[in-house]
Amino acid sequence: MAPGLSAGRIRFVVFVISAALIAYEILLFKLFAITYWHHFASLIVSLALLGFGASGAFIVLFHESLKKHFAGVLYVSPFLIVLSVWINMFLSRIISFNPLMIVWQPKETLALLALSLFLMVPFFLGALCIGLSFSARRDDIYGIYFANLAGSGAGSLPVLLTFFHMGPYEILLVISLTILCASFAASTSRVRTAISAVVLAAAVPAFLLHPTAIPMNSFKDLSVAFNQAGARIEKEVFGPFGLVSVLESPFYHYLPDLSLNCPFALPKQKGLFLNGDAAGAINSAGDTRFMEWRTASVAYRLLDRPSVLIIGGGGGTEILNARHHKAQKISVVEMNREIVALMQREYRAFSGGLYDIAAARILVEDGRGYLERTKRRFDLIQISLLESMESASAGVYSLNENYLFTVEALRTALARVAPGGILSVSRWIKNPPRDSIKMLATIIAALGPEKAAGSLVVIRSWQTATLLIKNGPFTPAQIAAVKDFCRERLFDLCYYPGISSGETNLINKLDENYFFNAAKRLLSGDQERFYDEYPFYVRPATDDRPFFAHTFKASFIRKYLIPYGRVSIPLLDWGYVLLWTALAILVVFSLVLIVVPIRISGSSARGKTSVFLYFGALGLAYLFLEMSFLQQFIRYLYDPVFSAAVVIGSFLVYSGIGGLLSVKLDLSSRLQVRVAVIWIAGVVILYLSADRFFAGVLFAFPLGIRMAISSLLIAPLAVPMGIPFPAGLSRVAKEDENLLPWAWGINGFLSVIGASAAVLIAISHGFVLVVLAALAFYVLAAFVYSVGFL
């Protein structure tokens, strides 16, 4: 036992540091999503999390010295963690890293590695405290494990601070003060206590002197727009979805589906950006005749004063479109509360009150969630362009689950379209087309080829495509109206019932007649061959594989990368490629840091294979299950911010409780592990079987009740998941305590690898296979435990 440190104080230190590390990890994701893009944020943070495994290697090498100074390590480390996180905020500005140039400029790779190395330090120091606590207090492994997981669960809650409009630096201040409380608790003398109190008291005014601007890559939409003459950031709000920015510029215009021969001038606009990516524009009140010259307006030519549902309200462009066309009723679903608040307050007068409750029914929630929940039917459901062209082209969202553009979601949307009504979806056109073709494939799969053949119309401008799906076949008069609409505005016809190839690809010419050929093959029953032959992955997204923006395929390398070399690199699906890159780096570094310390330490090889298999399997299994059921429960809650906080927090806290409860069970550790694995397998199979039932029942409740029920549903699965790890640590501590920090490090390394591997498996084979793989790893762990470590 460490002198002067009770078990309760050690648990408190572990709890606080665990909470702070998770909160810091979440904050880093948000910060780097703003500075760079989502997939680069994932790469950087994944590399930084190597610090968890590296701490185990470090403890193996310096085990005796660290145990001897255990109290000092717990006291000093929180100060060093706080210092390192603020140094990292400074270095993230100094280290010039341009991710889009990483293929052309080798120095960018060095900058990435340097940035990741510095970011790894806080995680290394925090994990050092936790791992050393297991080694130093072998008699309280279950209590420390509970403190570790319960703290990690609590650490997911600081995301809620964004609802109070706290910026990232203010949140980092809260995290820093929390960490310093750990140092205060670890004080073993009056002098140390006094020092901690002074530092804690001085921290607030010192941290308040921080810079407020978040650096942003020069290639992001906002950076490019900001370079316009007279441009300025008029308003910024940091919220749960990131940074919302409004740009004022006399030259800013944004309406990507506008006809190039539109005779009407656009009104004054203000740019709307989310995390530096274009999220639309706020139009000033005035002449709206330009709305007639958009691909997204074609549906209004076919419907008379429809009742409209707009998914993705943004800056209000589609609301303005509906008002211009005299829509009978307008309902708007916009999940970003900050955008809604800006439109209802600061920009109400400028936009002409587009978000006024009297003018439209405003729903602040996820689009898929509303479609599942409502029983109303609409004449027109319009899904806006929900990301910028640059973000879509760079594959920023390729690793994001998107439950709005799956086969199941589109079937739900079509069920909410009134007889004779229309679902209108607009997508960007990249050359060669990818996600617009994938949307076409998904719509046809949702509707069925026979029905889709008479109920589908596709038109395009030079950079967007609009797809119309009617509840019923299009009439000859409606088809004639679409033809007239396109001819007047120089839009291309891509498909309508009875179209011929000679009518397509005439104005905004592509090198191949992609849309017409794709529609004909998909509607003729030739889907499988088409999917195999198309250079990009355009199979329809499903709820089991909800990665709509993922389009990378090995044939791309053969068709584009080999013949054209680096010129074709911008066509790459960067999110997917970088995930593989991160996984490769993680595996190499993990193997080195797992093998080298145990070799240097000179400890015997006895039991090492069993320890590696057991704790490695647990690390992979836990992450696989957690990520898979996070995906499943997101479909119950349909609020990505609250879903992540509730699901991840519940998994961690309940697992900690499971570890604590296992001490009270009057069962042998071998039997506990076997029962836990059997229980986990039974609950998983039950939940997978009852998925549709749970989804159908939960939709009827408000979000708060759905969150509470979801948390309770997680308990039967997460509680037994908390038993095998502390049981294994306790057994290793009894049989060869020198292997205990090594086991901690292995679990840390494999957990980080598991996060990337789970996504890659889900992209290729679906989340169900990830779940089955997790169960296989749990069975492996139970077998290894039964056979014996040593």
Side-chain angles (χ1 to χ4, degrees):
M1 178 183 286
L5 285 181
S6 66
R9 291 172 73 180
I10 293 172
R11 291 184 188 182
F12 178 79
V13 171
V14 169
F15 178 92
V16 168
I17 289 177
S18 301
L21 290 181
I22 293 295
Y24 181 54
E25 178 188 345
I26 294 171
L27 185 61
L28 280 182
F29 270 114
K30 289 185 173 290
L31 284 173
F32 285 110
I34 296 170
T35 302
Y36 305 110
W37 287 272
H38 178 271
H39 53 257
F40 290 108
S42 300
L43 173 63
I44 293 168
V45 176
S46 294
L47 295 176
L49 289 175
L50 279 171
F52 277 96
S55 69
F58 187 81
I59 297 172
V60 169
L61 294 175
F62 304 101
H63 190 214
E64 293 304 321
S65 178
L66 289 169
K67 281 180 65 177
K68 185 178 178 181
H69 299 93
F70 174 56
V73 172
L74 289 194
Y75 174 74
V76 173
S77 293
F79 289 112
L80 297 178
I81 294 172
V82 172
L83 181 64
S84 63
V85 297
W86 285 95
I87 288 176
N88 284 339
M89 290 299 102
F90 174 75
L91 290 175
S92 64
R93 296 169 174 271
I94 300 301
I95 297 176
S96 179
F97 168 53
N98 190 339
L100 295 182
M101 299 297 292
I102 199 168
V103 177
W104 287 275
Q105 298 287 343
K107 67 176 184 179
E108 299 297 342
T109 303
L110 297 177
L112 169 63
L113 292 176
L115 184 60
S116 300
L117 182 63
F118 284 116
L119 289 171
M120 193 172 74
V121 173
F123 296 104
F124 169 80
L125 291 169
L128 177 65
C129 293
I130 300 167
L132 189 58
S133 297
F134 283 119
S135 295
R137 289 299 306 268
R138 300 190 306 276
D139 60 323
D140 192 35
I141 284 176
Y142 288 91
I144 293 172
Y145 179 71
F146 169 74
N148 174 214
L149 266 66
S152 298
S156 62
L157 296 179
V159 68
L160 302 179
L161 294 175
T162 56
F163 285 102
F164 300 100
H165 294 164
M166 291 181 68
Y169 293 103
E170 286 78 14
I171 295 173
L172 189 58
L173 169 61
V174 173
I175 293 172
S176 300
L177 294 175
T178 303
I179 297 173
L180 290 177
C181 290
S183 183
F184 191 88
S187 303
T188 55
S189 68
R190 292 181 179 180
V191 174
R192 287 184 175 181
T193 303
I195 292 172
S196 300
V198 170
V199 172
L200 203 55
V204 176
F207 290 145
L208 289 177
L209 297 176
H210 63 73
T212 55
I214 300 174
M216 196 170 289
N217 185 272
S218 59
F219 286 91
K220 297 206 82 172
D221 299 334
L222 181 57
S223 300
V224 174
F226 189 74
N227 289 329
Q228 295 178 350
R232 65 185 180 89
I233 304 298
E234 188 173 79
K235 184 74 177 179
E236 281 192 334
V237 181
F238 188 76
F241 294 97
L243 185 68
V244 178
S245 307
V246 179
L247 178 86
E248 161 65 28
S249 169
F251 305 106
Y252 183 83
H253 287 103
Y254 183 89
L255 200 60
D257 65 337
L258 187 69
S259 168
L260 293 177
N261 70 334
C262 175
F264 304 107
L266 289 180
K268 179 175 175 55
Q269 293 181 321
K270 295 180 186 290
L272 184 66
F273 299 84
L274 178 61
N275 292 333
D277 298 320
I282 306 172
N283 297 276
S284 62
D287 187 358
T288 58
R289 286 177 293 174
F290 67 93
M291 283 292 174
E292 297 282 355
W293 295 76
R294 303 175 55 219
T295 60
S297 298
V298 64
Y300 291 102
R301 274 291 182 97
L302 312 179
L303 300 169
D304 182 32
R305 300 198 64 201
S307 63
V308 181
L309 172 64
I310 297 166
I311 298 179
T317 298
E318 296 309 331
I319 306 175
L320 188 63
N321 197 12
R323 287 175 60 171
H324 170 80
H325 287 97
K326 305 287 191 294
Q328 184 181 21
K329 294 179 181 177
I330 305 173
S331 299
V332 182
V333 176
E334 171 55 58
M335 66 190 306
N336 195 314
R337 301 166 193 272
E338 277 59 49
I339 291 178
V340 173
L342 286 173
M343 294 299 296
Q344 289 181 337
R345 298 171 190 166
E346 287 91 336
Y347 296 96
R348 179 180 179 277
F350 179 83
S351 66
L354 289 178
Y355 270 75
D356 285 358
I357 296 176
R361 182 167 169 257
I362 309 299
L363 303 145
V364 184
E365 59 180 298
D366 174 79
R368 170 75 181 274
Y370 176 73
L371 289 172
E372 295 281 5
R373 182 173 60 82
T374 188
K375 298 301 179 185
R376 296 183 61 182
R377 306 187 84 178
F378 302 88
D379 299 320
L380 173 61
I381 297 178
Q382 196 153 36
I383 302 179
S384 312
L385 284 169
L386 300 176
E387 74 278 341
S388 71
M389 177 63 168
E390 289 74 11
S391 299
S393 297
V396 169
Y397 302 102
S398 60
L399 305 181
N400 282 20
E401 298 96 336
N402 186 333
Y403 290 102
L404 183 60
F405 291 150
T406 65
V407 172
E408 294 88 344
L410 289 177
R411 283 176 182 159
T412 301
L414 289 168
R416 304 294 176 259
V417 176
I422 293 173
L423 170 65
S424 173
V425 184
S426 293
R427 300 298 306 164
W428 294 102
I429 296 177
K430 310 161 201 172
N431 195 11
R434 278 154 276 176
D435 64 334
S436 48
I437 297 294
K438 191 168 184 174
M439 177 56 70
L440 176 63
T442 306
I443 287 171
I444 291 173
L447 207 57
E450 291 186 8
K451 192 173 181 181
S455 303
L456 179 66
V457 165
V458 184
I459 68 171
R460 65 177 176 87
S461 65
W462 67 284
Q463 64 175 353
T464 64
T466 295
L467 300 89
L468 303 183
I469 311 96
K470 185 182 175 184
N471 185 355
F474 282 100
T475 66
Q478 288 178 321
I479 292 172
V482 170
K483 288 182 177 181
D484 292 341
F485 181 88
C486 291
R487 183 171 54 253
E488 294 166 4
R489 291 153 181 79
L490 301 182
F491 292 146
D492 279 282
L493 291 163
C494 299
Y495 177 83
Y496 65 80
I499 195 171
S500 65
S501 61
E503 299 175 80
T504 62
N505 202 32
L506 299 175
I507 301 167
N508 305 288
K509 288 192 175 183
L510 298 173
D511 55 339
E512 293 183 28
N513 200 352
Y514 292 103
F515 287 91
F516 175 80
N517 293 336
K520 283 296 183 184
R521 295 189 64 180
L522 290 168
L523 291 168
S524 66
D526 194 25
Q527 297 99 324
E528 290 302 318
R529 277 183 52 194
F530 174 75
Y531 297 147
D532 291 339
E533 293 172 2
Y534 202 73
F536 295 96
Y537 186 87
V538 293
R539 287 181 181 273
T542 64
D543 281 352
D544 187 44
R545 299 166 68 179
F547 302 94
F548 173 79
H550 166 66
T551 57
F552 180 82
K553 193 176 168 184
S555 60
F556 165 85
I557 297 174
R558 182 176 64 253
K559 185 163 184 176
Y560 294 103
L561 197 58
I562 294 174
Y564 302 109
R566 291 197 298 179
V567 175
S568 64
I569 285 174
L571 300 177
L572 276 174
D573 193 339
W574 275 105
Y576 187 70
V577 172
L578 286 172
L579 186 61
W580 274 107
T581 303
L583 183 62
I585 294 173
L586 290 171
V587 169
V588 171
F589 273 85
S590 297
L591 288 176
V592 171
L593 291 173
I594 287 172
V595 173
V596 171
I598 208 72
R599 292 270 186 189
I600 294 176
S601 68
S603 43
S604 113
R606 187 165 165 261
K608 290 176 186 172
T609 301
S610 297
V611 170
F612 177 82
L613 288 175
Y614 183 77
F615 288 96
L618 288 183
L620 291 171
Y622 193 99
L623 259 295
F624 277 21
L625 272 192
E626 183 182 46
M627 294 196 68
S628 299
F629 278 88
L630 171 62
Q631 170 262 343
Q632 181 168 331
F633 278 86
I634 282 177
R635 291 191 290 106
Y636 300 163
L637 297 175
Y638 288 110
D639 186 301
V641 176
F642 282 122
S643 295
V646 170
V647 175
I648 294 175
S650 296
F651 261 101
L652 292 168
V653 172
Y654 288 132
S655 295
I657 293 172
L660 207 57
L661 289 176
S662 64
V663 183
K664 310 294 183 182
L665 296 175
D666 188 21
L667 298 172
S668 68
S669 59
R670 278 189 175 89
L671 186 56
Q672 280 188 20
V673 172
R674 289 177 196 163
V675 171
V677 171
I678 293 171
W679 185 276
I680 290 167
V683 173
V684 165
I685 293 170
L686 173 64
Y687 281 8
L688 290 179
S689 304
D691 178 38
R692 291 182 179 274
F693 170 76
F694 287 140
V697 170
L698 286 174
F699 287 138
F701 297 104
L703 177 61
I705 296 177
R706 295 204 308 272
M707 289 168 60
I709 295 175
S710 295
S711 179
L712 292 174
L713 284 173
I714 289 168
L717 176 62
V719 168
M721 287 171 64
I723 294 175
F725 182 76
L729 280 186
S730 181
R731 185 169 172 186
V732 170
K734 292 175 184 176
E735 300 186 11
D736 186 349
E737 65 174 272
N738 293 322
L739 290 178
L740 195 147
W742 194 59
W744 163 256
I746 289 169
N747 187 263
F749 282 126
L750 271 295
S751 294
V752 177
I753 290 172
S756 298
V759 176
L760 287 171
I761 295 172
I763 286 173
S764 302
H765 304 289
F767 277 107
V768 171
L769 187 63
V770 178
V771 171
L772 296 177
L775 294 182
F777 283 123
Y778 269 122
V779 171
L780 172 62
F783 174 77
V784 172
Y785 197 93
S786 297
V787 171
F789 285 158
L790 304 174

